[in-house]
Amino acid sequence: MAEVPQPPLSALPIPGELPGLCLFSTVVFPLDVVSVQVNRPRSLRMIAAHEGESALVAVFFPRDPEAQDAVEAADLLPVGVACRVIHRMRMPNDTVQVVFQGLRRIRLREVLQSEPWLKLSVEALEEREPRGSEIDGLIYRCMEMVDALVKAETGLPPEMVNVLRMNIAGGGRLADLIAAHLGFPVEVKRRIVGTEGVRERLQLVEEVLQEHLARAQVEGDVARKTRAGLDARQREHILRAQLQTIRHELGMDADGEAEVAGLRARVAEAPLTDEARKAATRELDRMAGMPAASSEYHVARTYVAWILDLPWALPARPPVDLARARAILDRDHAGLEEVKERILQFLAVRRLKDDPRGPILCLAGPPGVGKTSLGRSIAEALGRPFVRVSVGGMRDEAEVKGHRRTYVGAMPGKVLQGLKRAAARDAVFVLDEIDKMGSDARGDPSSAMLEVLDPEQNGAFLDHYLDLPFDLSRVFFVATANVLEDIPGPLRDRMEVVSLSGYTLQEKVAIARQHLVPRVRHEHGLAARDLVLDDAALAALVEGYTREAGVRDLQRRRAAHGRQRAVEVACAASGARTRPLRVRARDLERLLGAAPFEATERLRVAQVGVALGLAWTPAGGDILPIEATLVAGTGQAKLTGRLGEVMRESFDAALSWLRSQAASLGIDPEAFRRHDVHLHVPAGATPKDGPSAGVTIATCLASLYSGRPVRADLAMTGEITLKGRVLPVGGIKEKVLAAHRAGVRTVLLPAANRKDLARLPVGVREGLEIVLTSEARQNVLAALLPAARTAPSPVRGRGTTASRPRGATTAPPPARRSARPRG
């Protein structure tokens, strides 16, 4: 810093007219010494015309910093500084280096001339130093902030504070010194030099110091953190270099280098996308600078290995052979003709139109009907790998879209894991039990599944772990579900539902003969001659020991035979051969015990107040027996069996309709007031609800109040209204199949469900008498036996049946009455 001039300089007389100089990039303060390089022609002429070393010059500053020249009073700020030229030196580039010493502030009155140089009329300003606590406080705060700036390591010399304290001759002088030597911007310096009042000047300096101090503190914090990070990285780099040298000397680094080189060669040869290749190369570059024992090295190696193991390329496949696909489906699945036909249609469209986008198949039906095995057959028909992933119970979104690479154990989601196992980008991918996905605080996997199954999105599926787009559009997705209502609407909208209702008796026998018996032999180590069942035994096994839509329980019953036979074969003498076990129908009770369903049917007889309804469950259709009894009372009603609100409302509607029709049905109206009715639906531990039991309840109550028994070989379904109309219900195919399995001969269905009869298997339609009704009265007349016939008839007996009521129709008429197998 230049030495501060002595105070007498401020007392030098200032003439009223002075040559002028406009400084654009430099500011001169009173009593300050500044070196200025003069290069403008007008200014050079002025310096040349005033050769004296003590020549006085009026220095002013432009209003517009971008101005090229300023020769008018309006172009200049009103306050400038009278300066003395104390030294000048001509430079080689036709410029003059002039050293000015500021004297006093002056005010511009007018521009007297602009050529050949500026000549100005000026007025010297008197500097009056105010006194008081306010000025002292401003001076103190300014000094404290200067001290803080010096300590904040802003580049200011430590002796700055001492120099300021030694040269304080007043607040105005302090403000000028701080503005001149603390690196303020030129615009700020011009504002300060142009401020006449000392108080206003100190306040302006205080504001600027506050801004500089705040900025200096932030920059200081950033600089300290940066230095700390650089020091840590430098230290780590040095340690890594030393460790690498030590490992190299000990011969321990060859394996890591060889592994990285091997991975680089695989990356160069693999058919990766550009983004995947860049990501793998970036991770390999990081691995090259890491010790092989570090956790980061293993994380990077696992990531690169995942990229290399995924099937990025699309293999060439021959066109779909529909004849071969039909043969495979028929070989693996007995029955299910509509389902197989729909799958063949789907494959035919894929053959004709090579478009990756298309509907996602959702096979919906009860457990054990072959949904997953159908997916396996589709994969074999297409000649593609098969992948099955169970999504039932999945609650974490990361199981679908993967974990983010923020910890060592992170991995991709189940979708990419399955494709890695299949090693093909066009695999047949079965998402099992998609209706059982849940959600919790960790996310909603069904929402993440939208990106997987939506043809508009899965072309660039983004797994969180991989963080690279992966094309899933060529994957053949097949979802399976038991209950469609449990699948979220947006997800169900992206799938085409194919329903699988269940198997008939003949289909189950064929499945057992073709698939289950050979599987049992294989699983228990038996030869073909060791276990033989004829068709009659299989039919008796199906009818007497299983009541399900699928064949899983049948598989378990067959496994019991296999275990017993395995014991006999294993206990035989070494090398001796046992006699073949030929199981006949009469042997089942000895091997498996009493048939539970056969025993139940023997006890089912026509009774008063007992009617058979049909219900739909997630496991398929089922029969629903409804019982009612009368006790002396006052007309109260009691319902048991864990009935839901809809079923209770059906009881109320059925009872009200029956009371309105009492006279026409031969019921004493007083019976409703003299007796209490108790209606019960067995299996009380199972919740039951739905409107389809309405006509069954009405028939049960009509039988109870009229004293006429209900046919034991008849079942019905339908919703009832107060006027006695029978409304359509759902699940007709499942319910009719359940009636067929239970040995029912006649089924009463709502007339509005006629359209559902086409979906019934031919064998079921021929083996059942299906009566369509539109009025509850028709159901009652068709189901009730005459009151005179009190002797109950067994289910399987021919018996006398009620004549078909007027208005009821049979659809479709059976071509023949097929014999019903026992069981």
Side-chain angles (χ1 to χ4, degrees):
M1 182 181 296
E3 183 179 355
V4 179
Q6 296 297 321
L9 289 174
S10 61
L12 292 176
I14 304 299
E17 296 181 3
L18 288 175
L21 180 66
C22 182
L23 297 182
F24 288 86
S25 59
T26 308
V27 178
V28 182
F29 285 89
L31 304 182
D32 192 18
V33 177
V34 175
S35 177
V36 178
Q37 189 172 8
V38 179
N39 55 10
R40 295 178 181 272
R42 183 182 292 105
S43 301
L44 290 174
R45 290 194 294 269
M46 185 272 295
I47 293 297
H50 300 78
E51 293 289 344
E53 290 296 330
S54 298
L56 298 182
V57 177
V59 175
F60 283 86
F61 311 100
R63 294 181 181 272
D64 183 7
E66 303 297 330
Q68 297 297 321
D69 201 357
V71 295
E72 302 292 337
D75 299 332
L76 302 174
L77 293 175
V79 176
V81 178
C83 298
R84 182 175 63 178
V85 179
I86 60 176
H87 182 69
R88 71 187 72 195
M89 181 175 61
R90 189 170 299 278
M91 306 299 292
N93 53 354
D94 295 332
T95 61
V96 177
Q97 194 76 22
V98 182
V99 179
F100 292 107
Q101 184 178 38
L103 301 178
R104 295 170 62 183
R105 282 179 172 79
I106 56 177
R107 179 181 289 112
L108 175 64
R109 299 176 66 180
E110 62 177 319
V111 176
L112 299 178
Q113 71 176 34
S114 58
E115 293 295 341
W117 59 78
L118 281 177
K119 186 175 182 181
L120 308 176
S121 173
V122 299
E123 175 186 2
L125 299 177
E126 296 294 334
E127 185 86 353
R128 293 185 175 82
E129 288 288 341
R131 303 293 180 184
S133 58
E134 183 181 3
I135 297 298
D136 294 341
L138 287 170
I139 293 175
Y140 174 79
R141 290 194 295 273
C142 289
M143 289 300 300
E144 287 297 315
M145 283 188 282
V146 172
D147 188 20
L149 282 172
V150 172
K151 294 179 180 179
E153 300 180 0
T154 56
L156 296 176
E159 60 272 10
M160 171 67 72
V161 178
N162 295 331
V163 172
L164 291 176
R165 294 187 187 279
M166 293 173 57
N167 291 276
I168 293 178
R173 178 59 182 153
L174 176 65
D176 291 344
L177 283 173
I178 292 175
H181 299 287
L182 259 69
F184 288 1
V186 175
E187 295 78 7
V188 176
K189 289 183 178 181
R190 289 173 182 165
R191 290 174 57 194
I192 295 174
V193 78
T195 303
E196 299 181 23
V198 174
R199 179 183 294 103
E200 292 77 7
R201 200 182 311 157
L202 282 171
Q203 291 174 345
L204 180 58
V205 170
E206 181 186 19
E207 293 177 3
V208 178
L209 285 174
Q210 288 176 347
E211 295 177 3
H212 277 241
L213 181 59
R215 185 167 57 252
Q217 290 174 344
V218 173
E219 293 175 352
D221 292 341
V222 173
R224 281 192 296 273
K225 293 178 181 178
T226 303
R227 283 198 300 273
L230 288 174
D231 293 343
R233 284 195 292 271
Q234 289 174 352
R235 180 174 179 274
E236 182 180 0
H237 176 73
I238 294 172
L239 292 176
R240 287 187 184 278
Q242 293 175 351
L243 179 62
Q244 189 173 2
T245 302
I246 294 172
R247 291 172 61 85
H248 183 71
E249 292 295 330
L250 295 177
M252 299 172 59
D253 205 31
D255 293 340
E257 293 180 356
E259 183 176 35
V260 173
L263 290 175
R264 287 189 187 277
R266 289 184 59 190
V267 169
E269 297 174 359
L272 307 178
T273 63
D274 293 340
E275 292 178 278
R277 196 179 305 279
K278 290 179 182 178
T281 303
R282 183 173 59 251
E283 290 299 314
L284 289 174
D285 293 341
R286 291 181 61 243
M287 289 173 58
M290 298 179 189
S294 67
S295 60
E296 293 185 5
Y297 180 90
H298 289 284
V299 171
R301 182 183 61 185
T302 304
Y303 178 70
V304 175
W306 266 104
I307 293 178
L308 292 173
D309 292 341
L310 286 174
W312 297 90
L314 187 66
R317 304 280 186 196
V320 180
D321 187 348
L322 293 181
R324 177 174 176 271
R326 185 184 298 274
I328 292 174
L329 291 175
D330 290 338
R331 181 199 66 192
D332 295 344
H333 298 85
L336 303 179
E337 298 301 329
E338 293 182 6
V339 178
K340 291 188 288 188
E341 188 63 28
R342 179 63 191 90
I343 293 175
L344 289 173
Q345 293 172 2
F346 189 87
L347 299 180
V349 173
R350 284 293 181 95
R351 175 187 174 94
L352 297 177
K353 183 181 180 182
D354 188 18
D355 187 355
R357 297 184 300 178
I360 309 298
L361 288 183
C362 178
L363 305 179
V369 296
K371 300 185 293 295
T372 305
S373 61
L374 272 173
R376 198 183 307 273
S377 299
I378 293 173
E380 184 179 355
L382 291 175
R384 302 186 187 183
F386 174 77
V387 183
R388 174 187 174 273
V389 172
S390 178
V391 297
M394 184 183 294
R395 294 183 176 274
D396 191 353
E397 180 183 344
E399 294 189 57
V400 178
K401 299 201 65 176
H403 303 263
R404 301 187 186 277
R405 287 189 297 134
T406 54
Y407 55 92
V408 176
M411 62 178 63
K414 291 185 180 294
V415 177
L416 292 189
Q417 291 181 37
L419 292 181
K420 176 187 174 183
R421 293 195 303 269
R425 190 159 66 86
D426 59 349
V428 175
F429 203 115
V430 172
L431 298 168
D432 232 349
E433 297 179 331
I434 199 170
D435 58 324
K436 297 179 178 61
M437 286 193 301
S439 62
D440 58 13
R442 292 170 292 182
D444 185 3
S446 62
S447 299
M449 194 66 72
L450 290 176
E451 187 176 350
V452 176
L453 298 182
D454 191 347
E456 300 296 334
Q457 302 182 48
N458 60 13
F461 173 70
L462 189 66
D463 186 274
H464 289 158
Y465 175 85
L466 200 64
D467 201 24
L468 294 170
F470 192 88
D471 188 3
L472 299 179
S473 61
R474 294 285 181 172
V475 180
F476 195 121
F477 284 107
V478 179
T480 69
N482 296 135
V483 183
L484 287 176
E485 288 72 16
D486 292 343
I487 305 176
L491 187 59
R492 188 169 65 247
D493 181 62
R494 284 161 173 79
M495 299 185 294
E496 181 173 344
V497 178
V498 179
S499 298
L500 288 78
S501 300
Y503 296 108
T504 62
L505 170 65
Q506 293 77 11
E507 291 170 347
K508 285 187 177 182
V509 171
I511 292 173
R513 183 176 59 252
Q514 298 173 15
H515 303 285
L516 301 186
V517 173
R519 184 185 303 173
V520 167
R521 292 181 186 139
H522 175 73
E523 291 176 353
H524 294 82
L526 300 175
R529 64 181 299 274
D530 291 332
L531 183 62
V532 179
L533 276 84
D534 57 22
D535 287 352
L538 290 175
L541 178 64
V542 171
E543 282 205 311
Y545 291 85
T546 63
R547 279 292 186 269
E548 57 173 346
V551 292
R552 287 182 180 169
D553 195 27
L554 180 60
Q555 168 71 12
R556 287 188 287 267
R557 298 287 183 177
R558 288 296 302 111
H561 292 159
R563 289 192 297 269
Q564 292 176 353
R565 186 57 177 164
V567 171
E568 295 177 3
V569 174
C571 292
S574 176
R577 298 188 60 80
T578 60
R579 291 189 307 169
L581 177 62
R582 182 174 296 276
V583 180
R584 295 177 174 85
R586 62 176 179 267
D587 301 324
L588 293 179
E589 186 169 354
R590 175 178 58 84
L591 296 173
L592 300 178
F597 298 104
E598 184 72 18
T600 301
E601 290 189 357
R602 290 196 193 102
L603 297 177
R604 192 192 304 158
V605 294
Q607 302 179 57
V608 175
V610 178
L612 288 182
L614 297 174
W616 180 92
T617 68
D622 198 3
I623 59 172
L624 187 70
I626 298 178
E627 303 174 352
T629 186
L630 290 176
V631 296
T634 59
Q636 302 297 317
K638 182 178 182 180
L639 284 78
T640 55
R642 293 197 67 181
L643 306 183
E645 289 297 327
V646 177
M647 209 161 180
R648 291 175 178 271
E649 292 176 359
S650 296
F651 170 81
D652 295 337
L655 183 58
S656 297
W657 171 80
L658 185 62
R659 295 181 66 177
S660 68
Q661 301 292 320
S664 61
L665 295 175
I667 300 174
D668 183 8
E670 294 298 323
F672 296 102
R673 292 191 291 270
R674 293 196 303 265
H675 298 87
D676 293 344
V677 60
H678 183 178
L679 185 137
H680 177 70
V681 182
T686 304
K688 295 169 280 292
D689 198 11
S692 62
V695 295
T696 311
I697 294 175
T699 303
C700 178
L701 294 177
S703 169
L704 183 66
Y705 282 103
S706 65
R708 297 170 60 184
V710 182
R711 289 175 55 185
D713 63 346
L714 179 143
M716 65 188 72
T717 184
E719 181 180 358
I720 189 173
T721 67
L722 284 176
K723 297 298 184 180
R725 293 177 55 222
V726 179
L727 301 182
V729 292
I732 293 298
K733 184 177 181 180
E734 291 82 359
K735 294 175 181 178
V736 172
L737 288 176
H740 185 268
R741 290 193 300 267
V744 172
R745 294 187 174 185
T746 304
V747 177
L748 305 183
L749 300 178
N753 285 115
R754 181 188 296 272
K755 60 182 182 301
D756 297 311
L757 300 182
R759 299 180 60 240
L760 298 177
V762 176
V764 173
R765 292 201 303 266
E766 293 179 352
L768 286 175
E769 180 183 9
I770 300 176
V771 179
L772 302 178
T773 64
S774 58
E775 299 290 338
R777 183 181 182 84
Q778 299 171 358
N779 289 67
V780 171
L781 296 178
L784 299 186
L785 295 173
R789 293 187 57 85
T790 57
S793 60
V795 174
R796 294 300 177 186
R798 288 264 175 200
T800 302
T801 60
S803 60
R804 186 173 299 110
R806 178 179 298 177
T809 60
T810 301
R816 57 183 175 84
R817 296 292 298 180
S818 59
R820 301 293 299 157
R822 294 184 56 82

